[in-house]
Amino acid sequence: MSELKKGLFRRKRSGESMSESPSRGMGQRDGENAIDDSDESFRPSSGRSKLLKQGKPKRRRLTLAVLPTMLTLGNGVCGLGAIAIAVSDPATLGWPLEQKLFFAGLLIFGGMLFDALDGSAARMTGQESEFGAQLDSLCDAVTFGTAPAVIIWGLSDLLPQRLVWAIGVLFTLCVLIRLARFNVETDEEDSHESFEGLPSPAAAGTLAAFAIAMPDLKSLATDDMYHERVHQFADNVLQASHFFIPGLALVLAFLMVSRFNYPHLVSQWIRGRRTPTQIGQALFAVGGVFLLHWLALPLAFCFYAFGSPIQAGWQHLKAKKEHPAA
């Protein structure tokens, strides 16, 4: 019964009781006159609880898509594992710093794999939902926001500690802003061919790629099979990484909240045809992986992260030269 009907019913019953029993109505309010003892729903003792039960909205039971949900949670587990390894005591694990960073970076890459698979699995099975989208963002915040910040804190010990903490916090905050903006601006009809701003998995992958390359750099700096100049170069790179990676994190944080257009590589390579130039670039990347091993990962991710801003800046300068008056 609606509130309007309840009010009319009470006024009607009040008028009837006043006319039929004046002595009863003189000392009572209109709301009390509306109570009919023969009607169970309006009894003071049991009627109130029954009305509350009737007025309580029923909650819809949430059903989960098992495969996409498990893949999304796998992303979160990888992020938590990376954090656990990055903050653990090297003496407890028996791993040096480079080995810790290597496995933490691998787990971030594992989170990237799960993040790529959960959306595809949801679309293929027709199980896309708002719950899945929100859960995906929360797991991304852990794996691509918090875990890289912890790696930054554990990697750089030559800079002031407060500065390194501030850089890690800023990187995480920019990841959160990037994820929230993506959720608000992306709708169901989006083609997913490109992104505005550097995607958070790519930013985290860039930092994780440098962490993964650390053991190879350490090997180049200490292995007797390499020349002395290689030892010196690798050692200089290792020392510079303590300054370079925090600075890189600041640049990546800016690129995530920027409006530079980045291609969706997975979507573009799976769908449609590629030009010979793009095929050549892919083959060059594969050859670099076989030649440089893990050292090729930082180069590939930096190429993706900085390719779009450099191209946009080059086009802007070219247009300025062609139209100087504009």
Side-chain angles (χ1 to χ4, degrees):
M1 184 182 292
S2 64
E3 294 296 329
L4 179 59
K5 289 183 179 179
K6 286 182 181 179
L8 293 175
F9 179 77
R10 287 176 179 174
R11 290 171 188 166
K12 183 178 179 181
R13 296 295 300 172
S14 176
E16 292 176 357
S17 61
M18 288 289 292
S19 60
E20 293 176 1
S21 178
S23 59
R24 179 183 174 185
M26 292 298 293
Q28 294 178 342
R29 293 174 294 178
D30 291 345
E32 294 173 350
N33 293 332
I35 300 175
D36 187 1
D37 294 337
S38 63
D39 190 354
E40 291 291 334
S41 63
F42 286 94
R43 289 186 180 178
S45 59
S46 62
R48 183 175 181 83
S49 60
K50 187 173 291 187
L51 283 174
L52 290 176
K53 284 185 178 180
Q54 292 176 354
K56 187 177 181 180
K58 293 183 178 180
R59 292 186 178 180
R60 187 178 52 152
R61 181 174 294 179
L62 180 65
T63 57
L64 303 180
V66 177
L67 179 59
T69 301
M70 295 303 294
L71 291 173
T72 303
L73 292 177
N75 174 16
V77 169
C78 287
L80 292 172
I83 295 172
I85 291 177
V87 301
S88 61
D89 188 4
T92 303
L93 290 177
W95 295 343
L97 175 62
E98 292 80 11
Q99 201 71 15
K100 279 177 47 179
L101 297 175
F102 175 80
F103 284 106
L106 278 185
L107 285 172
I108 291 178
F109 270 83
M112 294 173 62
L113 179 61
F114 281 114
D115 184 59
L117 292 177
D118 61 357
S120 300
R123 286 188 291 270
M124 290 175 60
T125 58
Q127 295 176 324
E128 296 175 278
S129 64
E130 182 65 22
F131 173 83
Q134 298 301 326
L135 182 63
D136 183 73
S137 295
L138 293 174
C139 292
D140 287 351
V142 174
T143 306
F144 309 133
T146 308
V150 176
I151 289 178
I152 294 171
W153 296 336
L155 176 65
S156 183
D157 54 358
L158 299 181
L159 291 173
Q161 195 173 39
R162 291 184 180 179
L163 177 61
V164 177
W165 285 353
I167 292 173
V169 169
L170 180 62
F171 181 87
T172 304
L173 293 179
C174 288
V175 170
L176 298 179
I177 294 172
R178 175 72 179 83
L179 292 172
R181 189 181 74 181
F182 178 80
N183 290 341
V184 171
E185 296 181 350
T186 305
D187 53 17
E188 296 180 357
E189 299 179 356
D190 193 274
S191 61
H192 299 286
E193 291 291 331
S194 62
F195 301 102
E196 278 196 352
L198 179 66
S200 57
T206 304
L207 296 176
F210 280 92
I212 291 174
M214 287 297 168
D216 279 2
L217 280 175
K218 188 70 173 180
S219 177
L220 290 175
T222 57
D223 202 330
D224 294 336
M225 66 178 294
Y226 298 108
H227 193 270
E228 184 65 28
R229 292 183 179 179
V230 177
H231 291 173
Q232 185 177 1
F233 175 77
D235 187 65
N236 291 335
V237 172
L238 283 174
Q239 294 297 322
S241 65
H242 294 271
F243 302 94
F244 173 75
I245 292 180
L248 176 65
L250 287 176
V251 178
L252 294 174
F254 166 75
L255 292 177
M256 280 190 290
V257 296
S258 69
R259 290 292 181 178
F260 292 113
N261 192 32
Y262 285 87
H264 194 313
L265 293 182
V266 177
S267 178
Q268 290 189 7
W269 278 94
I270 291 178
R271 308 170 188 173
R273 298 182 177 181
R274 299 295 97 198
T275 64
T277 303
Q278 292 172 325
I279 298 295
Q281 291 175 351
L283 293 176
F284 181 80
V286 172
V289 170
F290 280 103
L291 180 63
L292 300 175
H293 301 287
W294 296 116
L295 295 176
L297 283 178
L299 299 177
F301 274 86
C302 286
F303 178 80
Y304 178 78
F306 297 105
S308 294
I310 292 174
Q311 185 178 3
W314 174 257
Q315 291 177 353
H316 178 72
L317 291 176
K318 187 177 179 180
K320 199 171 183 180
K321 288 181 179 179
E322 293 177 354
H323 307 283

